[in-house]
Amino acid sequence: DAGVIQSPRHEVTEMGQEVTLRCKPISGHDYLFWYRQTMMRGLELLIYFNNNVPIDDSGMPEDRFSAKMPNASFSTLKIQPSEPRDSAVYFCASSFRDGRPLHFGNGTRLTVT
Amino acid sequence: GENVEQHPSTLSVQEGDSAVIKCTYSDSASNYFPWYKQELGKRPQLIIDIRSNVGEKKDQRIAVTLNKTAKHFSLHITETQPEDSAVYFCAASKGNAGKSTFGDGTTLTVKP
């Protein structure tokens, strides 16, 4: 298996622009997670899905963030409008059945100027 | 919700020495405790995990111990090597929630 695939690897955008991050989980995994990593706040869980259904989005910072999982092999995290404080590495992770352990993608490094 | 505290935040050891990283958790219902290693610029990767029905687990130079009563678990690395240098994260989760709460990480530096 190719593992969890994220795109793009790097994204540089200007404040106010829309940003879309993409994730393809490992085939057969039931859970998909979006994490954000910064030096100040560490690894933060933003949202997770089980069988394509959002289960807990309490970590989503504000209404500017949204996530979808239209099918078992694809998810997006969208930020609109983006702000400089959104700059971080965003990781997608997937897991099988009861959610353990996590398999992380290589991350998307987002820079908002 | 669950709270995971991890100590120390940084750890420097000489090659060949042992390293110990400790974590405490708050939710007694947590029953799965993984450890992830993240090298600079890379993704976190699982190195070892333990479930609440086990007190200790070992994999070559790496071991994890769990004390459910005290709600803490530890990572032990013996005979450290420079390639062990990385950030290590502990995490805790419960039931079928699939939601892991991470510690803040420990930056381990192994000096040759």
Side-chain angles (χ1 to χ4, degrees), chain A residues 35 43 95 99-104, chain B residues 2 4 6 21 23 25 30-37 44-52 57 62-66 73-75 88-94 98-103:
Chain A
Y35 282 89
L43 268 168
S95 63
R100 313 172 286 199
L102 295 174
H103 298 260
F104 285 85
Chain B
E2 174 68 277
V4 177
Q6 183 172 346
I21 303 170
C23 289
Y25 60 100
S30 290
N31 58 9
Y32 176 68
F33 308 93
W35 286 88
Y36 295 87
K37 175 184 180 182
Q45 290 188 279
L46 179 78
I47 55 171
I48 194 167
D49 56 9
I50 192 168
R51 298 180 189 271
S52 60
K57 184 176 178 180
I62 295 174
V64 58
T65 59
L66 171 65
F73 56 112
S74 301
L75 177 71
Y88 292 81
F89 293 94
C90 63
S93 67
K94 61 182 178 181
K99 175 180 174 179
S100 293
T101 300
F102 282 81

Side-chain angles (χ1 to χ4, degrees), chain A residues 11 46 51 64-65 72 76 80 82-83 86-87 108-109:
Chain A
E11 178 78 37
L46 300 178
N51 292 322
R64 298 185 297 107
F65 286 68
T76 60
Q80 166 63 16
S82 58
E83 297 183 2
D86 301 330
S87 298
T108 294
R109 181 172 296 276

Side-chain angles (χ1 to χ4, degrees), chain B residues 54-74:
Chain B
V54 175
E56 183 174 358
K57 184 176 178 180
K58 189 173 182 179
D59 183 2
Q60 298 182 0
R61 297 186 297 109
I62 295 174
V64 58
T65 59
L66 171 65
N67 183 325
K68 287 177 57 181
T69 302
K71 290 189 283 189
H72 67 69
F73 56 112
S74 301

Side-chain angles (χ1 to χ4, degrees), chain B residues 18 24 27 35 71 84 92:
Chain B
S18 295
T24 61
D27 191 339
W35 286 88
K71 290 189 283 189
D84 294 329

Side-chain angles (χ1 to χ4, degrees), chain A residues 7-63:
Chain A
S7 64
R9 288 298 309 274
H10 302 273
E11 178 78 37
V12 180
T13 191
E14 292 183 348
M15 182 174 63
Q17 296 298 306
E18 177 179 296
V19 175
T20 300
L21 311 182
R22 297 173 175 80
C23 176
K24 176 179 168 56
I26 293 173
S27 177
H29 279 192
D30 301 86
Y31 287 83
L32 184 138
F33 305 81
W34 284 99
Y35 282 89
R36 179 172 67 177
Q37 186 174 39
T38 61
M39 289 294 292
M40 292 298 294
R41 301 176 69 90
L43 268 168
E44 300 176 275
L45 177 64
L46 300 178
I47 185 172
Y48 78 96
F49 297 82
N50 178 217
N51 292 322
N52 313 337
V53 176
I55 303 300
D56 185 349
D57 65 353
S58 60
M60 296 286 261
E62 47 199 270
D63 292 345

